[in-house]
Amino acid sequence: MVWVPLRTVRTDHLALLYTSKNSFTKMSLEWLMDWSWSLDGLREFIATGIQSFRDCDTSALTAVACLLVLFVWYCYHVGREQPRTYVTVNSLMQSSDANSLQNGYAYCHSPECVRCTRNDGLNQKLYHNLQEYAKRYSWSGMGRIHKGIREQGRYLNSRPSIQKPEVFFLPDLPTMPYFSRDAQKHDVELLERNFQTILCEFETLYKAFSNCSLPQGWKMNSTPSGEWFTFYLVNQGTCVPKNCRKCPRTYRLLGSLRTCIGNNVFGNVCISVLTPGTVIGEHYGPTNIRIRCHLGLKTPGNCELVVGGEPQCWAEGRCLLFDDSFLHTAFHEGSPEEGPRVIFMVDLWHPNVAAAERQALDFIFAPGR
């Protein structure tokens, strides 16, 4: 009787083993079937892909390959490109030393500054721009510009020390340190008629100096002594919108000037302020194609402009025209009680630059070109 339960136990155990074996076999078969189905699906997927590839048009595949190559090249180019650094006024003021000063006038070395940049390939670039202009329009009337660009190095190096434009010299222009008011009579008279308008907008701007040392929109320029501030409406051919909105009537006035240079890098419009005791070091302007117009807004005594060795004084409500490609300087030796010297500065075309030449020079020296 003892062996009976043992047999029963053995039988149950064998039954359990048999059942487990059957379950394992069933699971293995199901797994193999699933695996076989997966392989079939994979083969079908690969076959479908190969067939789709064969059915594709060759030109479409070539276009996709080219786009992929261009994308890889673009990623490589962007990845290796160094970030561009921008020069700020504050950094220039802090880093200026004896090496960056010539006769007390700071050269900023900014790649964006047409006057301060020393570009060895400038002549080739200018000639390329001239050719592009001539192809679009005409070579007619371009003889003097063509001559100037082709022989620019000789002109700049052979100029007397009294007149040395630092960027571009246009040959065969009448040259003199100062010009009469009749040189640009219309614009001179228009500016003088609007003297009070410009003065009122300046006085509104200048009130901000009581709140902080350098209000927004103003720039401080490097000088051997004193302080020289400028407020640009147009800076090297580029409008300064925030500043123009602060002087809306003055800005609208610019649209009525016939000879204002507003479309190339040699054109500037600004308010210039010299505090008592300020001296601007001797320096040359970038070109002889313009004449600089100073409208006196506030002109205390003991203030002078010296161009080519010839001194002149400003007068309130009157325009003074001069060629800034001549060596020039300015100073304010008045007392603090007299206040600052203030002028409104506009760059006008030289009267002997023809209309066709002005159009070509605007194209050649367009901002950003």
Side-chain angles (χ1 to χ4, degrees):
M1 290 179 69
V2 177
W3 64 271
V4 173
L6 289 176
R7 182 178 180 86
T8 303
V9 173
R10 182 175 177 83
T11 302
D12 295 341
H13 179 67
L14 290 174
L16 179 62
L17 289 175
Y18 179 77
T19 303
S20 301
K21 183 176 181 180
N22 288 341
S23 299
F24 176 77
T25 302
K26 184 177 180 181
M27 291 176 60
S28 300
L29 289 174
E30 290 177 354
W31 181 83
L32 288 173
M33 290 177 66
D34 292 340
W35 183 68
S36 177
W37 181 87
S38 299
L39 287 178
D40 291 340
L42 181 61
R43 283 195 297 270
E44 183 180 352
F45 176 78
I46 294 174
T48 303
I50 294 174
Q51 186 62 35
S52 299
F53 182 82
R54 289 175 177 175
D55 293 341
C56 284
D57 184 47
T58 305
S59 60
L61 292 176
T62 304
V64 171
C66 291
L67 289 174
L68 181 60
V69 171
L70 288 174
F71 177 72
V72 172
W73 174 85
Y74 174 78
C75 292
Y76 170 75
H77 180 74
V78 172
R80 67 190 295 268
E81 189 177 52
Q82 296 296 324
R84 183 175 183 180
T85 58
Y86 292 88
V87 181
T88 62
V89 174
N90 290 337
S91 64
L92 293 176
M93 296 297 296
Q94 295 171 1
S95 62
S96 61
D97 52 23
N99 294 328
S100 64
L101 293 173
Q102 295 184 14
N103 296 324
Y105 191 82
Y107 287 80
C108 65
H109 308 292
S110 167
E112 302 297 330
C113 182
V114 67
R115 186 195 67 221
C116 302
T117 302
R118 301 295 186 266
N119 188 350
D120 295 334
L122 179 61
N123 290 349
Q124 290 81 356
K125 181 179 179 181
L126 295 181
Y127 189 68
H128 171 77
N129 291 348
L130 174 61
Q131 286 182 317
E132 185 178 348
Y133 173 83
K135 289 177 182 178
R136 292 188 183 185
Y137 303 101
S138 171
W139 278 102
S140 178
M142 297 299 104
R144 189 160 53 176
I145 296 178
H146 179 268
K147 178 182 177 182
I149 292 176
R150 293 297 297 270
E151 302 183 28
Q152 196 63 204
R154 180 174 68 84
Y155 284 127
L156 296 182
N157 293 330
S158 63
R159 296 298 304 168
S161 59
I162 194 173
Q163 184 193 26
K164 280 193 173 183
E166 298 180 327
V167 178
F168 178 72
F169 178 80
L170 186 64
D172 305 326
L173 281 182
T175 176
M176 61 192 77
Y178 294 97
F179 285 78
S180 70
R181 294 162 43 83
D182 292 336
Q184 299 294 3
K185 185 176 180 180
H186 174 273
D187 290 351
V188 166
E189 292 178 349
L190 183 62
L191 288 169
E192 291 179 351
R193 285 199 303 268
N194 288 273
F195 160 70
Q196 287 294 338
T197 298
I198 301 171
L199 177 62
C200 289
E201 292 194 328
F202 158 72
E203 289 176 339
T204 302
L205 287 173
Y206 201 64
K207 291 178 181 178
F209 275 86
S210 60
N211 299 325
C212 59
S213 58
L214 190 63
Q216 187 178 10
W218 289 86
K219 290 186 177 182
M220 178 182 289
N221 304 281
S222 179
T223 57
S225 62
E227 295 177 326
W228 174 23
F229 303 102
T230 49
F231 186 85
Y232 279 92
L233 303 184
V234 179
N235 187 10
Q236 293 189 3
T238 302
C239 177
V240 185
K242 290 183 179 179
N243 289 359
C244 292
R245 284 193 289 268
K246 295 178 181 178
C247 303
R249 291 180 293 172
T250 301
Y251 177 66
R252 283 196 298 269
L253 174 64
L254 299 180
S256 301
L257 299 177
R258 295 176 180 174
T259 61
C260 178
I261 302 178
N263 298 319
N264 72 53
V265 295
F266 298 130
N268 301 275
V269 179
C270 74
I271 296 172
S272 175
V273 178
L274 295 185
T275 60
T278 300
V279 176
I280 299 176
E282 292 183 324
H283 61 283
Y284 302 97
T287 184
N288 67 328
I289 67 172
R290 72 187 186 190
I291 56 175
R292 183 151 280 186
C293 175
H294 282 187
L295 172 64
L297 301 181
K298 290 182 177 293
T299 58
N302 297 316
C303 295
E304 281 189 359
L305 171 68
V306 182
V307 182
E310 300 180 18
Q312 288 279 357
C313 295
W314 297 277
E316 293 182 4
R318 302 282 290 179
C319 288
L320 181 62
L321 306 180
F322 65 99
D323 183 345
D324 73 325
S325 66
F326 281 80
L327 187 66
H328 62 284
T329 181
F331 55 85
H332 180 359
E333 294 181 342
S335 63
E337 292 76 18
E338 293 181 282
R341 181 238 60 176
V342 185
I343 57 98
F344 180 63
M345 186 195 81
V346 184
D347 286 328
L348 307 175
W349 284 105
H350 189 291
N352 292 90
V353 178
E357 292 175 320
R358 295 178 186 180
Q359 181 179 340
L361 291 169
D362 277 345
F363 182 90
I364 294 169
F365 291 101
R369 180 172 292 277

